[in-house]
Structure formats: structure tokens, C-alpha cells
Amino acid sequence: MPETTLLHIEDLQLFFRAGKGVVRAVDGVNFDLNANQAVVVLGESGCGKTSLAKAILRLLPRNVDTYDGKIYLHDQNVMELSDEEYRRQVRWLKMSMVPQAAMNALNPVLKVGDQVAEPAMIHNAMDKEMALGQARKMFQHVGVPLDFLNRYAFELSGGMRQRVAIAMSLVTAPDLIVLDEPTSALDVLTQANIFNVLKRIKSELGMSFILITHDIATSSELADSVAVMYAGQIVETSDAHRFFHEPLHPYSGKLMDSVPRLRGTQEPDFIVGQPPSLINPPTGCRFRDRCPHAFGRCAEEPPTIRQDGRTVKCWLHVA
Amino acid sequence: MNAISGTAQGGAAVNSAERRHDEVLLSVQDLHVWFELRRFGFGHAGYVRAVDGVTFDLHYSETIAIVGESGCGKSSLMKTILALHRPTKGDILFENRNLNALKGPELREYRSQVGYVQQDPYGALAPFMTVQRILEEPMIINGIKDKAEREARLRNAMEEVKMSPVDDFLQKFPHMLSGGQQQRVVIARAMLLEPKLIVADEPVSMLDASVRVEILKLLRALQDKHNLAVIYITHDLSTVRYFSERVFVMYAGQAVEKSLINDLIRNPLHPYTMALLAATSDPDADNATRFRDVPPGEPPSLVKPPKGCRFHPRCPHMIKDLCDAEEPPHFEPEPQHLVACWLYR
Ligand SMILES: Nc1ncnc2c1ncn2[C@@H]1O[C@H](COP(=O)(O)OP(=O)(O)OP(=O)(O)O)[C@@H](O)[C@H]1O
Ligand SMILES: Nc1ncnc2c1ncn2[C@@H]1O[C@H](COP(=O)(O)OP(=O)(O)O)[C@@H](O)[C@H]1O
Ligand code: SF4
Ligand code: SF4
Ligand SMILES: [Mg+2]
Ligand SMILES: [Mg+2]
């Protein structure tokens, strides 16, 4: 493992028990993240992105069937920790999360300043005064006026509430933040504002990010690298430059073609059909029935090929 | 009664719509929609001026996009066009009839000619009804008594939104459908009564990015085929180009710029439009290396909007004693390109 690697994920699995069988939501995921970098996880709805975040942060529902694999955080495999150790040493202190729709989940009866301070009191054992001081610092980093500390969530605009949710994830001074669709529900100017905030805390605090989204255009605002998820698996990983210039996997290519562009004239196209069910996913390449390049060999599961620091899971790239 | 007669007249309707291409279908004139604000125990406490002087014409089979941020009054404008709110001031004419004058059966007939596609498809569909019932209901309300005809229309509408085989979907409940499929059902419902106008209020903003284009293309195909007029409301300028020729930009209850979409992108005139364009991302790895220019602050309160130009507290080009004092009229610096900004005086 190169020494700048912050997070190294190997063969991560998270399966759920459902009425009709086992949902293979995260089905053997591998990727790396370097310190002070942002990786974007892209994919359509239902491909397992949120489940991947839950698996990384060990935020598991009751109906877990399988939870397995390796998650190295600074050389330590945190999968070996007990739940209690994980809760005390890892979640919040080393990795925290801004969940999907976090801005709508703030406590309505607690002042937002107190809410942001709370995790620092619980996890960093700060007294209230110190934690509030820390919250004040985070408000400055995310650009929320300090007099908002005493306000309630309903008094804030959507953009301000999202900044508060980000401040809350920062207050415990983690190394890594997982953001699940942080701007999908926001207006264009507010989205741009939130990405400015994330860029700023990345450079000011040396923060690292996993950004989960289906919005490819805005994901490029933060991405150093990209991991494309399809039907519970990572089908491509790449540095952002080469990815946005020329994706390797046919699914990535289709995703890129679906983006309406403001500058440029290419008509966007869409991907016919839907991702497969993750209960008994198809054998062979899971993208086969939607892939314009599918051929005989695709009936077998493709291997993940490594090429110049990128990876791609597709038979087209097998020599 | 033309909305509820048989399907045979569909062809005739198309021809007449083509003929009337240059005639105005909908005319919105100096429209104001204010909501009274009441404070508990204090009675009247002012007005939310959600729409404050909007004027535009829409021709038969024409598409127009309305672009603006949340809270700028887009939905209030739409709901007034759908006759769900009454104008506080100003008029809406549909085929030269003033909506203010419509009552009872006339109003119902009017509503049957305007289809509505809203932002949240799941919220738009009754969760306890099957797709079949969801689609039958508006026909029953509009007096289509013949069960066979209802069935025929329903199947036709389902095919048109590409939900086939139809029988796979009819008995499903909304929660069993993906977001994209739910929105197709909403569109099928809007099409059932053969409307002349479709109002689509952020029809794709709640959907997964990969389904957005599919739904927009579907709407455009229906528009072409049936010569529908469409009002497309969005906050995302990058989708407008693929959907509509004309666009107007709304800020704080008012239209600040009106033009053809290509002119707007090539040569934005209003500082607010410039800000929207500058904030819109295309996929490009270089985006991560620079900050985006975003005007400071947030859209103003619509109860006490700023004096003069409503954008002036955020505007980098603000002209003192003018922009903060007098409301700018619409100037026309290039043909068919209107802007409400003192820079063009
Ligand atoms: N607790 C659970 N029990 C059973 N199935 C689940 C559970 N959580 C998620 N799933 C299923 O796992 C699959 C992946 O879901 P997940 O929420 O991770 O997708 P996603 O990529 O985040 O989608 P979206 O873009 O819609 O948020 C889906 O089929 C979902 O229905
Ligand atoms: N029925 C109502 N009563 C009071 N205020 C309303 C009502 N509907 C909308 N508003 C207010 O009018 C303004 C414009 O809202 P809306 O038309 O929904 O904007 P948009 O669709 O552009 O987000 C907002 O401040 C909103 O809170
Ligand atoms: S393995 Fe075959 S079906 Fe799968 S993406 Fe590659 S070419 Fe397409
Ligand atoms: S009128 Fe003045 S304040 Fe308003 S947009 Fe134009 S320059 Fe800016
Ligand atoms: Mg999710
Ligand atoms: Mg709205």
C-alpha cells in the first residue's frame, strides 16, 4: 500500500435479507482513496451507493445477511474491530457522514449551534463550552453566519441547512467525510455554493471525501478520482482527468452521454432499461442486457483489468 | 366539449393546431399573485408577492421554459395558469377567454384542456390506487361514461408513454414503480383528456440523472406528435436547450430576461442570468481546481422585496441611486431579447 493511501477497501460485501431473497447491495467492492483527495462514487438509483456508504461506516440495518471484507483506514483493518470499538474509535472521530437528505433531518427543536456541538461533546469528550467553540469554527469554515448558531433549522434556507449538516460532520475533526447526494435537492446557485464550501474545507482542513451521487456534472466539481458502481459492483475506477475525458467501461460511457451539457452541442442520450434486481443478479456481466457492445464472452463474469492505474471490469478490455 | 368527445377527432385537432401555429393560445398579462400573510393574533401582516407583474404569450404548439430558483414564484405562476389560484391582479386569457370569468362547468372544461406534470411524481399519485384507477379517475370526473372508451384511451396513453406491455403495469400501485415510471404515469394522466397545453413544473428534478433525459425526450416527442404547447419549469439551464426554444428567467416574482435559449446562453444580459450560467457545471475534471463565482446572499423576502431592482443587493454591477431606487423596465438590446436591467438603459 503506498503511504499516501488513507482508505483501502477490499472485497467489501453487504447483503440484506428481504422477503424474496438476499439483496446483494454491495457485492465485492474494491477501491482506494488517498489522503486529502475526493473520490466520487457514480451510478444510477438502486446500484448500491448508499449501501456502500453504510457498509463503510458500519451503519447497518437489522436485516443484514452478510457483512464482510476489509476496510483499511491508515493501515488498520477496521473490520476487525468490535462494534463497540468501531463506535468509539472510528465513526465520527475518523470518518463521518452527511446522509442523503441530511438537511431535512435536523432536529427541529434544537438550536443548530447546539446540534453541531453535540457530536463533539459525545465523541471528543468536550465540555459544552469547548464544543460550542468548535462549532463556531466549523460555521466559519462552511460559511454560516455566527448569529445563526442560535437559530432553529426551520428558520434557515435549504442551502444553509445543508451547510449546517456539513459543519456537524466536521466538528469531530475526522479525516474523511462520506457525502450522500449532498446537492441533488438544491438549486444551481446553492449547489455551486456548497461545492465551493467543500473545496474550501478540502484545502483548509486537508479533508478527504467520498462523494456519492448520480449527478455527473456537479461531481466533477470535487472529484480527484471516480468509482463507477453498477448493480452492487465497481465497474470502473479512474483518476478524474482521464475519466471525464474518456471513460473506459461501456456503462460509464453511457452515463457520460446522458449528461445534458450547457456548453457543447451533443444531444444527451439515455440508457434504455433499468439496473437489474440485486436479488439473484444476472450471471455474466451485469450490464449485458443494456450494453451496446455485448458479445458472446459477456455471458461469463468479466474480470477486473488494471490498466495504467485505472481499473475496468469488462471483457472488451481483456487482451 | 371537445376534450371529452371520441378519439376519432384527434386527427382533426392536430390539423387545426397546425394551422394556428402563429396564434396565441395563452396570454398572461401583468399577472400578480399575492398571498395574504397572517400572524397569529395580529391578523393581516402583509403579502407574499409570489408573482409580481409577469407578462408573456404562448402560441399553439410552442414550448417555453421558465427558469428560476426555488421560491421565485414559478409554481405560483403555474398554479394560477391551472386556475388553482386566482390572480390578485392581471389577466390570463386562454383562447381569448379570461380565466377570471370562468365558473363551474366552464372551469372544469378549461382544466381538462391543460395537463399538469408536477415535480414529485410519487406525491402526485394516490398511493392506494392502482395505475388503472389513477388513469380512469380523471376520465370519470370528466364524464366519459363509456367503459370501453375509457379503456381504449387509457391503453393508448400508456403506450404513448412507453409503459408497455400495458397489462404489466395496470394493477400496480405507485410504490411498485421506479421514479421514472411514476413520472410516466403522471404524464399519461396529463395526456388522457387530449390537452392543448401541458404545464410541467420541475418534472425531472426529483428523478435520477440518467432518467431525466429519457423523460424530457418523451415529453418532447409527445409535444411534437400532438402539437401541444408546453410550459417547462426548471432551475437547471442545461436541460432547457434540448427542450425549448424560448426561455424566460424569473427572479423574486418577476421575469428579468426573455429570449431564445441560444441567445441566452451565447449572450446573457441580466447579471442574475450570468450568475446562473456561471454556476452550472458541465462534466470537466478542471472544475475541481477552481471556485465558482456565486453572487453573495440569498433571494430576498417576497413580503418586503428590495426597492428598485430586486437583484441589486447581490449584483456586482449595481448602479447607486438608480438600481436601488427605481425598478428597471424591460429593454431590448438585441431583437427578441428583453432584459429588465439598468445596464441597458
Ligand atoms: N435495509 C435494506 N433492506 C433490504 N434491501 C435494502 C436495504 N437498503 C437498501 N436495500 C436495497 O439495496 C439496493 C441498493 O440500495 P441503495 O440505497 O444502496 O442504492 P443507491 O444507489 O444509494 O440508490 P439511490 O440513488 O436511489 O439513493 C436497492 O435494491 C435497495 O432496495
Ligand atoms: N399558498 C401559499 N400561501 C402563502 N405563501 C405561498 C403560497 N404558495 C407559495 N407561497 C410563497 O410564495 C413564494 C413563491 O413560491 P413558489 O411559487 O412555490 O416558488 P417556486 O415554485 O419558484 O419555488 C414563496 O415564498 C412561497 O413560500
Ligand atoms: S463485459 Fe460485455 S456486456 Fe459487459 S460491459 Fe463489457 S462489453 Fe458490455
Ligand atoms: S438593474 Fe442594476 S442591480 Fe439590477 S441587475 Fe441590472 S445592474 Fe444589477
Ligand atoms: Mg442512495
Ligand atoms: Mg416549485
Side-chain angles (χ1 to χ4, degrees):
Chain A
M1 222 168 22
E3 43 177 52
T4 51
T5 303
L6 170 70
L7 184 74
H8 169 78
I9 292 179
E10 217 175 285
D11 205 17
L12 188 61
Q13 293 182 322
L14 178 59
F15 300 170
F16 305 114
R17 279 188 311 275
K20 290 183 209 149
V22 172
V23 185
R24 305 170 74 98
V26 178
D27 199 1
V29 160
N30 301 287
F31 71 89
D32 288 342
L33 173 63
N34 288 346
N36 196 206
Q37 298 261 296
V39 60
V40 168
V41 180
L42 291 175
E44 287 160 283
S45 187
C47 279
K49 304 182 301 295
T50 299
S51 303
L52 174 60
K54 288 181 177 163
I56 294 171
L57 281 145
R58 213 189 277 194
L59 292 166
L60 306 178
R62 280 162 186 270
N63 60 335
V64 170
D65 175 84
T66 304
Y67 177 52
D68 202 5
K70 295 180 179 141
I71 301 176
Y72 287 95
L73 185 65
H74 306 288
D75 297 329
Q76 181 193 19
N77 182 3
V78 298
M79 287 296 271
E80 287 168 356
L81 301 177
S82 70
D83 285 351
E84 176 64 15
E85 288 167 331
Y86 186 94
R87 197 176 59 75
R88 279 206 279 165
Q89 299 168 23
V90 181
R91 197 183 309 129
W92 287 101
L93 288 183
K94 299 217 172 94
M95 300 194 272
S96 53
M97 175 150 175
V98 180
Q100 207 161 357
M103 59 185 231
N104 299 324
L106 294 171
N107 188 329
V109 297
L110 219 58
K111 290 175 183 166
V112 293
D114 293 349
Q115 242 172 115
V116 169
E118 195 175 86
M121 294 166 66
I122 297 174
H123 302 281
N124 307 69
M126 290 187 192
D127 60 28
K128 176 140 190 192
E129 194 140 336
M130 245 174 104
L132 273 173
Q134 196 64 13
R136 201 167 288 130
K137 269 194 217 151
M138 295 311 132
F139 270 46
Q140 281 166 327
H141 280 296
V142 300
V144 178
L146 288 183
D147 55 319
F148 280 32
L149 282 162
N150 290 317
R151 298 203 187 172
Y152 294 92
F154 72 88
E155 299 175 288
L156 272 51
S157 67
M160 282 297 160
R161 276 183 278 132
Q162 189 64 307
R163 289 174 196 232
V164 167
I166 294 170
M168 188 145 83
S169 74
L170 284 171
V171 76
T172 50
D175 303 319
L176 169 66
I177 297 181
V178 181
L179 304 150
D180 193 0
E181 304 284 3
T183 61
S184 301
L186 299 171
D187 283 323
V188 176
L189 293 181
T190 317
Q191 283 181 353
N193 262 322
I194 294 290
F195 278 106
N196 280 345
V197 163
L198 295 172
K199 288 172 192 175
R200 200 161 63 226
I201 57 187
K202 184 165 172 245
S203 71
E204 286 175 0
L205 301 173
M207 193 57 60
S208 310
F209 298 99
I210 298 176
L211 168 63
I212 291 175
T213 183
H214 56 77
D215 187 341
I216 299 177
T218 61
S219 82
S220 71
E221 293 290 334
L222 196 64
D224 295 298
S225 61
V226 176
V228 179
M229 194 162 187
Y230 189 74
Q233 302 177 324
I234 301 289
V235 296
E236 173 166 359
T237 61
S238 171
D239 58 284
H241 269 279
R242 285 183 292 172
F243 181 84
F244 289 116
H245 187 246
E246 191 183 9
L248 292 177
H249 196 279
Y251 178 59
S252 316
K254 282 295 210 177
L255 278 182
M256 288 285 275
D257 290 346
S258 76
V259 182
R261 286 154 206 256
L262 187 63
R263 308 150 187 94
T265 49
Q266 204 198 337
E267 274 258 340
D269 198 3
F270 58 89
I271 319 176
V272 178
Q274 284 176 47
S277 156
L278 299 179
I279 301 173
N280 300 318
T283 55
C285 174
R286 293 184 181 179
F287 187 55
R288 189 167 32 138
D289 62 334
R290 302 170 82 190
C291 180
H293 307 291
F295 61 110
R297 231 173 155 178
C298 307
E300 287 167 60
E301 175 159 353
T304 298
I305 312 295
R306 198 166 270 285
Q307 284 183 359
D308 308 326
R310 307 170 79 177
T311 66
V312 56
K313 187 177 172 64
C314 168
W315 283 115
L316 290 178
H317 295 270
V318 177
Chain B
M1 291 304 285
N2 96 40
I4 57 171
S5 50
T7 35
Q9 54 96 71
V14 167
N15 286 335
S16 63
E18 257 165 18
R19 243 190 300 113
R20 292 182 300 186
H21 221 69
D22 49 3
E23 282 176 42
V24 174
L25 171 67
L26 178 83
S27 179
V28 174
Q29 302 174 351
D30 193 32
L31 184 70
H32 292 69
V33 184
W34 294 9
F35 300 103
E36 189 172 9
L37 201 63
R38 293 185 159 277
R39 248 176 229 137
F40 189 71
F42 293 92
H44 178 80
Y47 291 97
V48 182
R49 305 174 178 198
V51 179
D52 216 13
V54 167
T55 298
F56 70 95
D57 281 346
L58 180 68
H59 298 87
Y60 283 89
S61 10
E62 187 187 25
T63 304
I64 192 169
I66 302 178
V67 176
E69 287 172 280
S70 110
C72 75
K74 306 184 298 294
S75 297
S76 303
L77 172 62
M78 278 321 97
K79 288 186 178 156
T80 317
I81 291 172
L82 290 160
L84 300 171
H85 295 318
R86 288 255 158 196
T88 310
K89 199 176 113 191
D91 297 292
I92 299 178
L93 306 182
F94 186 84
E95 302 193 303
N96 296 317
R97 283 186 304 168
N98 197 321
L99 295 197
N100 283 332
L102 300 184
K103 292 191 194 63
E106 290 167 344
L107 202 56
R108 197 163 66 216
E109 197 223 314
Y110 166 69
R111 288 200 181 117
S112 76
Q113 298 187 31
V114 184
Y116 183 32
V117 178
Q118 69 198 62
Q119 183 169 10
D120 170 12
Y122 189 66
L125 300 172
F128 52 86
M129 286 192 194
T130 60
V131 169
Q132 170 136 20
R133 265 205 62 205
I134 287 168
L135 294 179
E136 281 212 57
E137 194 120 305
M139 292 192 280
I140 294 171
I141 291 174
N142 279 279
I144 303 179
K145 297 208 174 63
D146 181 6
K147 178 122 178 79
E149 181 182 349
R150 288 203 305 262
E151 180 83 12
R153 280 199 186 205
L154 183 155
R155 286 182 175 272
N156 191 25
M158 291 280 283
E159 300 272 358
E160 291 228 70
V161 298
K162 311 231 155 49
M163 301 257 303
S164 53
V166 174
D167 289 305
D168 285 5
F169 296 102
L170 285 181
Q171 296 317 315
K172 287 201 161 148
F173 290 92
H175 73 90
M176 300 171 172
L177 304 174
S178 70
Q181 291 169 337
Q182 288 168 4
Q183 198 60 301
R184 284 164 201 272
V185 174
V186 173
I187 294 171
R189 182 174 62 184
M191 294 294 298
L192 273 175
L193 298 172
E194 296 170 1
K196 294 179 179 146
L197 168 66
I198 296 258
V199 173
D201 189 357
E202 306 238 25
V204 297
S205 67
M206 309 263 285
L207 302 179
D208 205 66
S210 56
V211 196
R212 286 182 187 168
V213 173
E214 191 176 356
I215 296 292
L216 288 177
K217 287 200 166 179
L218 173 67
L219 271 171
R220 197 174 59 186
L222 292 173
Q223 191 242 334
D224 278 349
K225 182 167 170 206
H226 299 278
N227 287 292
L228 288 168
V230 179
I231 302 179
Y232 170 51
I233 300 184
T234 181
H235 68 89
D236 179 8
L237 269 166
S238 62
T239 57
V240 171
R241 216 148 44 108
Y242 306 100
F243 196 70
S244 151
E245 260 190 25
R246 278 172 66 207
V247 59
F248 77 73
V249 179
M250 243 177 119
Y251 185 75
Q254 301 178 322
V256 296
E257 184 161 356
K258 302 181 190 180
S259 81
L260 300 174
I261 180 66
N262 288 332
D263 293 341
L264 191 91
I265 292 172
R266 178 185 51 79
N267 183 26
L269 298 176
H270 199 281
Y272 176 64
T273 312
M274 295 177 195
L276 285 180
L277 287 168
T280 304
S281 315
D282 282 330
D284 179 352
D286 290 335
N287 289 341
T289 62
R290 53 184 176 233
F291 288 89
R292 292 230 168 227
D293 249 335
V294 185
E298 300 194 329
S301 145
L302 297 180
V303 181
K304 271 199 179 146
K307 201 160 170 259
C309 168
R310 294 186 177 180
F311 191 57
H312 87 256
R314 307 174 70 190
C315 181
H317 307 291
M318 204 265 279
I319 306 161
K320 198 126 189 41
D321 298 326
L322 179 60
C323 299
D324 52 357
E326 269 180 77
E327 199 172 304
H330 280 96
F331 298 99
E332 194 170 355
E334 59 177 359
Q336 291 194 67
H337 195 159
L338 290 130
V339 61
C341 168
W342 285 118
L343 291 176
Y344 305 92
R345 71 191 185 278

